[in-house]
Amino acid sequence: AAAPLSELNGVVAVAAHRSFRRAAVELGVSPSALSHAVASLEQRIGVKIFHRTTRSVSLSEAGEHFLERVRPALREIEDAIDTVNDFRETPRGVLRINTAASAAQRLLDPVVLPFLARYPEMSVEIVTDGRLVDIVAGGYDAGIRLAATVPRDMVAVPCSAPMRLIVVGAPAYFAKRPRPRVPADLHEHECIRRRMPSGARLPWEFEKGREVVNIEVQGRLRLDAEELVVHAVLRGVGLAWINQWRVAEEIAAGRLESVLDDWCAPFPGLCLYYPPHRHVSVGLRAFIAMIRESNLVQPARSASSRKTRSPKRA
């Protein structure tokens, strides 16, 4: 008997996450229901698709061959459904997007919420991940990342203006310490360091004209979430190197001050991207149209007139 699509989608999700629990969260079912569905499929076809232990889930050799055939077939079915939806007057369905938490926050108010208000039959599922993931293998319709990190074989649609990473501190901090005038002065300051998902500590990057400087800053506080960095710098703990848009309100209100502005060059901003070979659903097309309508993408002569490097941050 043919397997229900729900079972096949379950196999793809478990294979992508290597976890029944995380796959169940993605699919909106209980882990036990998902495990039962996959076990039923394995029983019907007479082979084990997954090797299970109490700590890990991995594809069997038969499961790898099965997935190679099932994944493209499911994409064909999804594309067929999307093609039929093109004849609808309004989009309908679920749009799944993978991005970083900071990018999701940047686009939520100007794009995502107006999109949901305009298209009541559409749902949007945003999955935030610090690491760059394979959106095709993960079953996502699109990803949103910094332009420099978008895979070259993807179709990329700009969805933000050029960005800048700036150095900021609270007035209370500068009341006790002199403001740095060149990047090397940061060696004399307490800096709030950001831990990346890979565990790496990135140097703070600066550019002025043709001069590029990377500074390995020092500081006793190391955080892995941007909102925690903002909280700490507002409390006067130290200096932070952070996206300008994230602290624009704090700077305007005088709660933070930026320094080394002439060393903080703009770089290409966020892009929405998707695979070129896949049918672009009416929902994704409407979402892209909403991005363009939002006026978030504004050319900046300082960014386009020269080649600017993009920090490896999402």
Side-chain angles (χ1 to χ4, degrees):
L5 286 179
S6 59
E7 291 182 356
L8 299 178
N9 283 322
V11 169
V12 172
V14 173
H17 291 284
R18 294 294 193 269
S19 164
F20 277 87
R21 180 179 58 81
R22 290 195 294 271
V25 170
E26 174 189 319
L27 297 172
V29 299
S30 69
S32 60
L34 179 58
S35 178
H36 178 74
V38 173
S40 296
L41 176 60
E42 289 175 324
Q43 185 176 7
R44 285 204 307 278
I45 63 178
V47 296
K48 281 287 185 184
I49 298 174
F50 295 104
H51 296 303
R52 303 171 177 83
T53 69
T54 55
R55 295 186 177 182
S56 66
V57 176
S58 61
L59 280 166
S60 66
E61 183 178 358
E64 290 177 355
H65 288 289
F66 183 73
L67 198 65
E68 286 178 5
R69 301 292 297 274
V70 166
R71 188 179 280 145
L74 285 175
R75 288 193 200 116
E76 288 291 329
I77 294 171
E78 290 171 359
D79 287 348
I81 294 172
D82 287 338
T83 300
V84 172
N85 276 335
D86 287 350
F87 291 94
R88 295 174 52 87
E89 292 184 3
T90 58
R92 177 181 183 181
V94 180
L95 189 63
R96 300 189 68 242
I97 298 173
N98 182 279
T99 186
S102 58
Q105 184 179 10
R106 180 74 178 96
L107 296 175
L108 193 63
D109 282 342
V111 178
V112 179
L113 300 186
F115 176 80
L116 291 174
R118 180 176 296 179
Y119 302 110
E121 294 185 86
M122 283 296 302
S123 300
V124 177
E125 179 182 344
I126 296 177
V127 177
T128 60
D129 198 321
R131 294 180 174 87
L132 188 65
V133 304
D134 183 339
I135 62 170
V136 175
Y140 297 100
D141 296 286
I144 298 175
R145 298 282 169 175
L146 285 177
T149 64
V150 173
R152 292 178 179 240
D153 61 345
M154 293 284 174
V155 177
V157 179
C159 56
S160 84
M163 294 181 170
R164 284 205 314 155
L165 289 171
I166 61 174
V167 179
V168 295
Y173 177 86
F174 289 125
K176 297 180 287 186
R177 304 242 191 166
R179 289 165 176 77
R181 306 210 176 266
V182 294
D185 291 346
L186 292 171
H187 290 303
E188 307 301 321
H189 284 267
E190 184 76 18
C191 297
I192 303 166
R193 296 181 294 175
R194 179 81 181 271
R195 183 184 186 278
M196 304 310 291
S198 63
R201 291 185 303 177
L202 295 181
W204 292 13
E205 301 176 4
F206 300 94
E207 182 180 347
K208 186 176 183 180
R210 295 185 177 181
E211 187 176 0
V212 176
V213 179
N214 293 337
I215 301 293
E216 291 285 351
V217 298
Q218 301 300 314
R220 292 173 295 157
L221 183 59
R222 184 179 178 187
L223 301 169
D224 67 350
E226 194 174 57
E227 60 269 24
L228 296 178
V229 174
V230 174
H231 179 79
V233 72
L234 284 169
R235 296 295 295 271
V237 173
L239 301 181
W241 187 53
I242 196 165
N243 207 306
Q244 183 176 14
W245 74 264
R246 181 61 183 80
V247 291
E249 291 184 7
E250 285 79 6
I251 292 174
R255 293 190 294 271
L256 290 177
E257 300 175 17
S258 63
V259 294
L260 300 174
D261 285 346
D262 55 339
W263 282 92
C264 299
F267 56 87
L270 298 169
C271 280
L272 177 143
Y273 64 97
Y274 56 89
H277 57 271
R278 182 183 293 181
H279 171 78
V280 181
S281 69
V282 64
L284 181 55
R285 288 204 304 272
F287 190 80
I288 292 171
M290 184 66 73
I291 289 172
R292 290 170 174 154
E293 185 180 320
S294 70
N295 293 322
L296 285 174
V297 183
Q298 300 170 358
R301 280 178 289 179
S302 57
S304 59
S305 61
R306 60 181 173 175
K307 293 181 179 179
T308 54
R309 302 183 312 148
S310 178
K312 298 182 178 66
R313 294 187 173 214

